[in-house]
Amino acid sequence: MKRLIAILLIVAVAVIPLTGMAEREWYHVQELREMTKDGWRQTYETKWRTVQVDVDIEVPDVEAFPIVKVVRMQPIAAEKLEGLDVFTNKNGNVYATLGALPEPTHNRAAFKSILDFGADVPDVLPENNDMTYEEALAVIGKVVSNICDRSIDDLFINSIRVLSRYYKYKVVEGDKVWTDPVSDRGYYQIAGQQMFHGIPIEYCGSYSTDGKYPTTGYAVMGIADSDNWGFNFAFLEEADIPYEDVPILSFEKAKAAYEELIHMGLVREVLEARLCYTSYIDPKDRDIFYLLPVWYARCVYAKKADMEF
């Protein structure tokens, strides 16, 4: 089996205007929606290969793009977690379970299949489980509301996985050979990024401040049914809005950063492109973060131009 040696690269271009920049390089968010409606569709001929980019560009349908000052959420009150098994509830993170998710009863077992739908609604159910995706989403909404006083509408659900049961396996000539199931059913694994003012946050933490990396608000849940689930929430709370609306660099200008990596032979495929937030650490206070607009692209990336896979 050929080994996949690409990694996913997240590239973000900071888009706050600098004094003296030419007029009309910076646009209102609604103007950018119109300017990017045809997506990014371009063919690049490099020294090593042809790279075809064919993606839509997602721009939030909002009236303003504010800069937001945020902090980590406070610990959840104990009474809201009553009846749950709580493993973490500090530093802006809460991890707890109700009941139990299916677990293997054998030390050499794994999911036989993991179907990854990204942000698309799945068209299959977990193995041996009649819970629909809509029912699973309703559980998330209830948990987010009752425990964190937030709405599921403030989450950008971007990772939906449908898991099989656990199966025993043996390794034959380097390959897994599946045998018997060792859990009763499969379940959903659903994750999303927090949104502020209708704009999602993406993690672009390629830098740190004194060893501390920026954070984004996120939620991850495993759901077998309404009585058996687990969650890990790390939400942010709005503290201030320093700027109510900011002009943003056009995508045509910003994509030069991605094109440079394409021509260097490193970016092999562009999977997503969107305008969103990422978080930056306040250099004077590492517990404060600022949400700034970025052009974000998720790409298949190789460490060397001549690396084939």
Side-chain angles (χ1 to χ4, degrees), residues 104-252:
T105 58
H106 191 274
N107 60 3
R108 178 169 279 192
F111 295 115
K112 188 176 181 179
S113 70
I114 300 176
L115 302 179
D116 192 340
F117 289 86
D120 296 329
V121 175
D123 56 3
V124 298
L125 301 178
E127 184 182 2
N128 204 36
N129 188 336
D130 60 4
M131 184 180 218
T132 66
Y133 171 71
E134 289 74 20
E135 291 169 335
L137 206 60
V139 172
I140 296 178
K142 184 177 179 180
V143 173
V144 168
S145 175
N146 292 349
I147 294 177
C148 298
D149 294 322
R150 285 169 172 78
S151 169
I152 193 171
D153 293 335
D154 293 328
L155 283 178
F156 172 54
I157 304 295
N158 59 357
S159 177
I160 304 167
R161 292 181 171 184
V162 179
L163 309 179
S164 71
R165 291 188 283 181
Y166 283 98
Y167 280 77
K168 290 193 295 185
Y169 67 88
K170 54 186 177 180
V171 179
V172 179
E173 296 182 353
D175 293 326
K176 285 181 180 177
V177 177
W178 302 101
T179 57
D180 301 322
V182 289
S183 65
D184 64 335
R185 56 186 165 165
Y187 61 95
Y188 294 97
Q189 187 180 82
I190 301 173
Q193 300 297 125
Q194 196 172 358
M195 296 196 296
F196 282 84
H197 302 272
I199 304 164
I201 311 170
E202 292 287 358
Y203 180 70
C204 306
S206 58
Y207 77 97
S208 66
T209 300
D210 297 330
K212 188 169 186 176
Y213 288 87
T215 187
T216 62
Y218 66 85
V220 180
M221 282 196 71
I223 307 146
D225 59 42
S226 59
D227 296 317
N228 293 276
W229 42 260
F231 67 82
N232 184 1
F233 296 154
F235 288 139
L236 300 171
E237 296 178 347
E238 185 172 307
D240 192 17
I241 301 180
Y243 298 94
E244 294 287 346
D245 193 14
V246 292
I248 298 170
L249 186 69
S250 71
F251 181 74
E252 283 300 310

Side-chain angles (χ1 to χ4, degrees), residues 29 34 86 104-105 123 266 289 294:
V29 61
E34 179 65 23
V86 181
T105 58
D123 56 3
L266 303 181
F289 306 89
V294 293

